[in-house]
C-alpha cells in the first residue's frame, strides 16, 4: 500500500445499489496525486461526452490526497468534481472542515458515484464498511436538521456528514455540498448533482483516527506542524486571517477599488465600514459582546492552527443568526453586501446562514440577486415580475425575501433566479445579458479584474468559470507593493520581476500561469490555499514539497509538484474541449469593458485587445493550441497523460 494513502478507491453505483473497491498502486498515486486530478482520471475515462449534468451518467467524485488527515495545518480538504449544471463545463469545488480527514480515516482516498438511486439514500462508511441506507426521512430537511437526525440515528456524535441541502434537492443550479452545516464545496453546483442522484448525504467515521494512516516520516510532519503556530505572528496576513477571517480584506479591497458594488458598476462602496471584518468581529461574531478578544467567533478545520472560520451569534429583525451555520466570509459580505448595495451587516449574516442552511454557493446566490436588482433598476423587471417586491439596491428586506424564494423555488422569480444569472438573463432578454456578470455562466467572485488584470485573465480561461482561488492575485507581484516574504517565495517559482500596477505584460501573464499551476497543485494534493501558497500564506512552496516527501517517502521536487498542478489543469481543459467548450468561451462579461464609477478605479476599464493578446500569450506558454485553447497531444504526452489526447481526439 502506498505510504500516506489508504490505497483504496470506493466505486458506488447508486442505480444498482452496489459498490466495489479499486486498489491502485504507487505509480497511479504518484501520477495523479489525489484531489481533482484523481477525480478527473475517472470522469474522463468512464463518463460519456455530452451527457446532461442531471443525467445518471454524470459521474460525481469525492477525492482526498496523501496529505489528508496528517497532523498539520491546512490539509483537511475534499475536492468534488462532476459536470457542472451551472456552467455545462467541468465542475470543480473544494471544502474544508472535519469531513475530509474523517473520510480518510474511514478507509478511502476517493469515492466515485455513478447512476441515480431509486429514492433518496445516504452512504454510510465506518472503518471501511460501506452501506447505502434509506434517506427518505431526511429529504426536505435543512443541513443542521440532517446533522442532528443522523447523529442520533447512528448513535455517534463524531460522524461527519457531507450533504446536499433542500436547494440541491430542488436542483438549484448553484447548490453546494455542505458539511458541518457551515463548510461548503460551494462553486459550480455540485450539490445539485447530488440532488439529481437522490444522494442526500455521505456519512463517514474512522474510529482509529490518524493512527489508521502510515506516513513515511512522521517526525518531519510533526516538525512542520510545530512550525505553524510559531510563525503565524511573523506574518501580518496570517495575524489578520486568524483574527478577522477573510472578512479582514474588506478595507483593502475597497481602498484599491476592487470591492464590487452595485453589480460591478463600481469598485467603491460607501457602506464598506459597516460590513467590514473589524465591524463583524466587534458586533456579530460569537463572544463579541462579552469581549472575549482571543476567541471571538473562531473555529478550526481538522488540525489547523490558523482557525479562520467565522462563527456568528446575532439576530436580524427577531430572526436568530446561529453559529451552527458558521458566519459570513469576505465573498459573502461582498455578494450580499456591496454587490446588492446593502450595508446591514446582520441582514448579510442572515443571508449567509440561509445559504448554509439550504445548501447553496453564497457567491452565485448573492451575485444572482444583485443581477436581478440591476435588472429592476433598469426596468427590465417590473413589480409584476417580482411579485410586488421593490427589488432595489440597498433593500435588505427584499434581498432576504428573494433569497428565500430562490432557495425554495417558491415563486416564478425564485424559479428563474435558481437557474443562475446567465440563464435568467436569457429568459428576461431586453439586454439583460449585458448586466449578467458571469464567465462560462458562473458568477464572478468579489475581486475585480479592472484592478487585478492577471486575475481577470484567469477568470476568463479558468476551466470551471471565474474563480478567485485559482491563481495568486496581482498585488503580490506589482511594483511598490511587495514584501521580502512574497518575493522569496515567488522566486522559488522563477518569478523575479514585479510588474507595474494594473499591467498585463507578458511577465504578468507568466505570473498568472505559474501561480495557477501552483494553486492547481494544491487542489491536487488537497491543501488549503489560505495555509499553503506561493506568497502570503503560512507555508510556502518549499514546505509543500517537504510535506509531500515526508508523507510518501518519494524523492519529490518542486518541478514534479508543478507538473502535477499542470496535469490537473490540462485534464480539466480537456474535459471542456470534449464538451465543445474552448477559447470562444474564455470570455469576460461586458461590464468589465465599461468604465467604473467612483473610488480608486474610477474611470478604469479593461480592453478587449489586451485580454485577447494576453490569452494568446497564456495559451502559448501553456503549450496549448493558441486558436482554440485546447491542450495539444504533445503537451499531454509530456505530462504522461497521452491517453487524454485519444479521449478528446487531439
Amino acid at each position: 500500500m502506498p505510504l500516506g494513502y489508504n490505497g483504496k478507491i470506493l466505486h458506488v453505483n447508486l442505480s444498482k445499489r452496489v459498490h466495489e473497491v479499486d486498489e491502485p498502486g504507487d505509480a497511479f498515486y504518484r501520477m495523479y496525486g489525489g484531489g481533482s486530478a484523481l477525480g478527473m482520471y475517472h470522469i474522463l475515462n468512464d463518463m460519456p461526452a455530452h451527457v446532461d449534468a442531471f443525467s445518471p451518467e454524470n459521474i460525481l467524485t469525492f477525492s482526498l490526497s496523501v496529505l489528508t488527515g496528517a497532523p498539520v495545518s491546512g490539509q483537511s480538504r475534499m475536492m468534488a468534481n462532476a459536470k457542472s449544471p451551472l456552467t455545462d463545463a467541468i465542475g470543480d469545488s473544494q471544502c474544508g472542515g472535519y469531513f475530509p480527514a474523517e473520510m480518510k480515516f474511514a478507509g478511502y482516498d476517493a469515492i466515485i458515484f455513478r447512476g441515480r438511486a431509486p429514492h433518496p439514500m445516504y452512504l454510510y462508511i465506518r472503518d471501511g464498511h460501506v452501506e447505502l441506507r434509506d434517506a427518505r426521512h431526511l429529504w426536505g430537511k435543512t443541513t443542521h436538521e440532517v446533522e442532528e437526525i443522523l447523529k442520533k440515528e447512528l448513535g455517534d456524535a463524531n460522524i461527519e456528514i457531507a450533504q446536499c441541502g433542500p436547494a440541491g434537492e430542488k436542483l438549484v443550479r448553484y447548490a453546494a455540498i455542505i458539511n458541518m452545516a457551515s463548510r461548503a464545496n460551494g462553486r459550480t453546483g455540485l450539490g445539485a448533482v447530488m440532488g439529481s442522484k437522490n444522494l442526500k448525504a455521505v456519512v463517514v467515521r474512522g474510529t482509529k483516527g490518524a493512527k489508521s494512516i502510515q506516513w513515511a516520516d512522521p517526525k518531519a510532519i510533526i516538525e512542520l506542524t510545530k512550525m505553524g503556530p510559531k510563525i503565524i505572528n511573523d506574518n501580518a496576513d496570517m495575524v489578520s486571517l486568524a483574527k478577522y477571517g477573510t472578512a479582514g480584506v474588506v478595507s483593502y479591497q475597497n481602498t484599491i477599488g476592487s470591492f464590487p458594488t452595485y453589480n460591478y458598476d463600481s469598485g467603491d462602496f460607501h457602506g464598506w465600514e459597516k460590513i467590514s471584518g473589524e465591524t463583524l468581529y466587534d458586533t456579530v461574531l460569537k463572544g463579541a459582546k462579552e469581549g472575549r478578544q482571543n476567541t471571538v467567533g473562531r473555529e478550526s478545520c481538522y488540525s489547523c492552527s490558523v482557525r479562520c472560520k467565522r462563527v456568528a451569534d446575532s439576530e436580524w429583525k427577531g430572526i436568530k443568526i446561529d453559529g451552527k451555520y458558521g458566519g459570513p466570509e469576505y465573498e459573502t459580505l461582498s455578494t450580499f453586501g456591496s454587490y446588492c448595495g446593502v450595508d446591514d451587516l446582520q441582514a448579510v449574516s442572515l443571508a449567509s446562514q440561509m445559504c448554509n442552511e439550504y445548501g447553496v454557493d453564497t457567491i452565485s446566490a448573492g451575485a444572482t440577486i444583485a443581477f436581478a436588482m440591476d435588472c429592476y433598476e433598469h426596468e427590465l423587471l417590473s413589480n409584476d415580475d417580482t411579485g410586488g417586491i421593490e427589488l432595489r439596491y440597498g433593500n435588505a428586506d427584499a434581498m432576504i425575501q428573494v433569497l428565500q424564494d430562490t432557495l425554495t423555488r417558491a415563486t416564478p422569480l425564485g424559479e428563474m433566479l435558481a437557474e443562475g444569472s446567465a440563464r435568467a438573463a436569457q429568459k428576461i432578454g431586453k439586454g439583460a445579458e449585458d448586466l449578467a456578470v458571469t464567465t462560462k455562466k458562473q458568477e464572478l467572485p468579489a475581486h475585480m479584474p479592472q484592478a487585478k488584470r492577471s486575475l481577470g485573465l484567469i477568470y476568463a480561461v479558468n476551466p470551471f468559470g471565474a474563480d478567485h482561488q485559482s491563481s495568486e492575485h496581482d498585488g503580490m507581484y506589482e511594483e511598490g507593493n511587495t514584501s521580502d516574504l512574497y518575493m522569496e517565495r515567488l522566486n522559488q517559482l522563477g518569478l523575479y520581476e514585479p510588474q507595474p500596477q494594473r499591467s498585463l505584460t507578458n511577465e504578468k501573464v507568466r505570473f498568472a500561469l505559474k501561480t495557477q499551476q501552483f494553486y492547481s497543485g494544491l487542489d491536487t494534493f488537497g491543501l488549503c490555499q489560505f495555509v499553503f501558497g506561493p506568497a502570503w500564506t503560512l507555508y510556502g512552496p518549499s514546505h509543500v514539497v517537504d510535506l509531500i516527501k515526508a508523507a510518501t517517502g518519494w524523492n519529490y521536487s518542486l518541478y514534479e509538484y508543478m507538473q502535477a498542478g499542470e496535469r490537473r489543469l490540462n485534464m480539466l481543459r480537456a474535459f471542456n474541449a470534449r464538451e465543445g467548450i474552448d477559447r470562444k468561451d474564455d470570455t469576460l462579461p461586458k461590464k468589465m469593458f465599461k468604465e467604473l464609477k467612483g473610488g480608486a478605479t474610477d474611470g478604469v476599464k479593461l480592453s478587449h485587445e489586451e485580454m485577447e493578446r494576453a490569452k494568446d500569450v497564456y495559451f502559448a506558454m501553456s503549450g496549448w493550441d493558441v486558436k482554440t485553447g485546447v491542450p495539444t497531444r504533445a503537451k499531454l504526452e509530456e505530462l504522461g497523460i497521452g491517453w487524454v489526447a485519444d479521449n478528446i481526439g487531439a
Side-chain angles (χ1 to χ4, degrees):
M1 182 176 70
L3 290 173
Y5 291 96
N6 286 301
K8 295 181 179 181
I9 295 174
L10 177 65
H11 295 259
V12 179
N13 188 310
L14 294 165
S15 298
K16 297 179 180 179
R17 287 179 280 182
V18 297
H19 67 273
E20 60 183 15
V21 178
D22 179 30
E23 298 185 11
D26 192 74
F28 173 87
Y29 283 110
R30 186 154 187 171
M31 175 63 71
Y32 298 104
S36 301
L38 190 154
M40 291 310 300
Y41 172 85
H42 293 281
I43 288 171
L44 284 167
N45 268 304
D46 300 340
M47 194 173 96
H50 307 299
V51 304
D52 187 86
F54 291 144
S55 164
E57 292 182 289
N58 195 5
I59 291 176
L60 173 65
T61 65
F62 286 9
S63 307
L64 310 174
S65 95
V66 63
L67 305 176
T68 314
V72 66
S73 297
Q75 47 56 51
S76 188
R77 307 290 289 174
M78 185 270 283
M79 280 57 67
N81 292 94
K83 184 173 184 178
S84 165
L86 181 65
T87 67
D88 296 317
I90 189 60
D92 185 280
S93 193
Q94 302 78 40
C95 75
Y98 283 71
F99 178 90
E102 198 67 33
M103 176 176 152
K104 181 79 169 281
F105 303 152
Y108 297 100
D109 300 316
I111 309 172
I112 316 298
F113 293 101
R114 296 173 174 83
R116 175 186 292 143
H119 57 75
M121 304 192 79
Y122 72 89
L123 181 71
Y124 178 38
I125 306 173
R126 183 183 177 90
D127 293 331
H129 178 72
V130 179
E131 293 180 58
L132 274 169
R133 294 190 170 193
D134 196 315
R136 281 175 282 197
H137 62 303
L138 303 174
W139 207 248
K141 303 294 185 185
T142 59
T143 54
H144 194 264
E145 288 175 334
V146 169
E147 290 263 341
E148 290 183 322
I149 291 169
L150 285 177
K151 287 178 179 180
K152 183 177 180 180
E153 182 176 304
L154 297 172
D156 190 344
N158 294 314
I159 61 172
E160 293 295 336
I161 304 161
Q163 59 175 300
C164 71
E169 298 170 9
K170 292 183 178 293
L171 307 186
V172 174
R173 287 187 183 268
Y174 41 87
I177 300 170
I178 302 288
N179 75 84
M180 298 179 72
S182 62
R183 273 57 162 198
N185 295 90
R187 309 237 68 195
T188 69
L190 302 185
V193 176
M194 279 188 75
S196 75
K197 292 183 174 299
N198 277 330
L199 178 62
K200 178 61 177 176
V202 178
V203 183
V204 292
R205 180 75 167 101
T207 58
K208 294 181 181 178
K211 295 178 181 178
S212 62
I213 309 298
Q214 184 178 355
W215 313 105
D217 189 349
K219 290 183 179 179
I221 293 175
I222 293 300
E223 286 304 309
L224 278 169
T225 302
K226 291 179 179 178
M227 179 192 300
K230 294 178 182 178
I231 61 178
I232 283 180
N233 291 330
D234 296 331
N235 184 334
D237 292 312
M238 285 292 99
V239 172
S240 175
L241 183 65
K243 183 173 182 178
Y244 298 119
T246 59
V249 303
V250 166
S251 175
Y252 169 74
Q253 287 287 100
N254 199 74
T255 298
I256 67 169
S258 183
F259 195 39
T261 300
Y262 304 134
N263 194 35
Y264 259 82
D265 279 345
S266 175
D268 178 69
F269 183 45
H270 64 87
W272 72 267
E273 289 181 283
K274 295 181 180 179
I275 58 172
S276 69
E278 291 80 359
T279 303
L280 181 75
Y281 181 88
D282 289 337
T283 60
V284 170
L285 296 187
K286 187 176 182 180
K289 298 181 182 67
E290 294 80 15
R292 302 205 316 257
Q293 294 300 309
N294 294 324
T295 58
V296 168
R298 295 173 63 189
E299 279 187 356
S300 175
C301 296
Y302 174 82
S303 193
C304 188
S305 59
V306 178
R307 298 178 65 219
C308 69
K309 181 62 184 173
R310 303 299 91 185
V311 183
D313 180 17
S314 190
E315 62 89 26
W316 183 76
K317 297 189 175 182
I319 303 173
K320 173 68 174 173
I321 299 170
D322 198 321
K324 64 190 178 187
Y325 295 108
E329 307 294 340
Y330 169 72
E331 300 296 329
T332 311
L333 292 167
S334 305
T335 55
F336 285 105
S338 59
Y339 280 43
C340 294
V342 171
D343 61 10
D344 184 334
L345 182 56
Q346 279 71 21
V348 173
S349 300
L350 177 60
S352 173
Q353 172 169 299
M354 293 165 66
C355 289
N356 286 339
E357 187 177 10
Y358 283 83
V360 297
D361 172 32
T362 62
I363 298 176
S364 282
T368 298
I369 291 175
F371 157 77
M373 288 178 166
D374 207 353
C375 288
Y376 188 87
E377 297 278 0
H378 281 85
E379 298 183 351
L380 303 182
L381 288 175
S382 67
N383 281 347
D384 288 341
D385 297 316
T386 65
I389 296 173
E390 295 282 334
L391 194 55
R392 296 197 179 279
Y393 290 131
N395 188 340
D397 293 271
M399 180 185 74
I400 294 296
Q401 183 59 59
V402 171
L403 175 61
Q404 180 66 37
D405 292 344
T406 301
L407 296 172
T408 57
R409 290 185 179 263
T411 64
L413 178 64
E415 282 276 6
M416 182 173 68
L417 299 184
E419 296 291 295
S421 305
R423 287 177 175 83
Q426 288 179 337
K427 185 169 183 178
I428 294 167
K430 299 177 290 187
E433 294 91 343
D434 293 350
L435 304 182
V437 184
T438 63
T439 66
K440 297 183 179 70
K441 303 192 193 82
Q442 176 159 263
E443 289 73 19
L444 265 61
H447 303 263
M448 301 183 71
Q450 299 94 325
K452 303 178 180 182
R453 274 166 158 70
S454 78
L455 189 66
L457 170 65
I458 297 300
Y459 280 3
V461 301
N462 196 53
F464 47 92
D467 183 62
H468 59 296
Q469 288 298 128
S470 287
S471 69
E472 194 52 84
H473 292 208
D474 293 51
M476 302 297 107
Y477 201 54
E478 289 183 336
E479 294 171 349
N481 193 27
T482 59
S483 74
D484 291 342
L485 175 66
Y486 298 164
M487 290 313 303
E488 185 273 327
R489 290 179 173 179
L490 291 173
N491 289 169
Q492 295 176 39
L493 305 186
L495 297 166
Y496 297 96
E497 302 175 21
Q499 297 296 294
Q501 187 181 29
R502 297 185 197 148
S503 65
L504 196 49
T505 61
N506 289 355
E507 178 62 14
K508 186 71 87 68
V509 173
R510 196 170 75 88
F511 160 78
L513 176 60
K514 287 298 180 183
T515 60
Q516 185 186 31
Q517 291 169 348
F518 185 90
Y519 273 79
S520 183
L522 296 181
D523 288 340
T524 298
F525 283 99
L527 292 174
C528 177
Q529 297 168 1
F530 294 161
V531 179
F532 290 87
W536 60 274
T537 48
L538 186 64
Y539 297 109
S542 62
H543 300 121
V544 174
V545 175
D546 290 343
L547 184 57
I548 294 171
K549 290 165 68 174
T552 62
W554 299 336
N555 181 20
Y556 209 72
S557 66
L558 182 58
Y559 173 80
E560 188 172 351
Y561 169 85
M562 292 294 285
Q563 271 209 321
E566 193 176 1
R567 188 175 296 118
R568 167 185 172 270
L569 277 175
N570 275 262
M571 294 171 81
L572 295 170
R573 285 289 298 198
F575 176 93
N576 283 0
R578 195 179 71 170
E579 300 299 304
I581 298 169
D582 56 21
R583 178 169 178 157
K584 70 180 183 303
D585 304 290
D586 295 328
T587 60
L588 290 171
K590 289 186 177 181
K591 281 202 175 192
M592 303 304 104
F593 304 95
K594 292 186 175 182
E595 291 186 356
L596 293 170
K597 302 172 184 176
T601 45
D602 184 53
V604 175
K605 64 178 180 178
L606 300 182
S607 77
H608 291 284
E609 293 76 19
E610 70 174 335
M611 291 307 300
E612 291 306 310
R613 187 201 62 79
K615 280 188 270 187
D616 287 344
V617 175
Y618 171 90
F619 292 137
M621 286 181 176
S622 299
W624 300 344
D625 185 278
V626 173
K627 291 183 179 179
T628 65
V630 174
T632 61
R633 176 175 286 275
K635 173 54 70 173
L636 296 171
E637 293 284 2
E638 176 192 327
L639 294 171
I641 51 174
W643 61 269
V644 174
D646 298 329
N647 189 290
I648 65 173

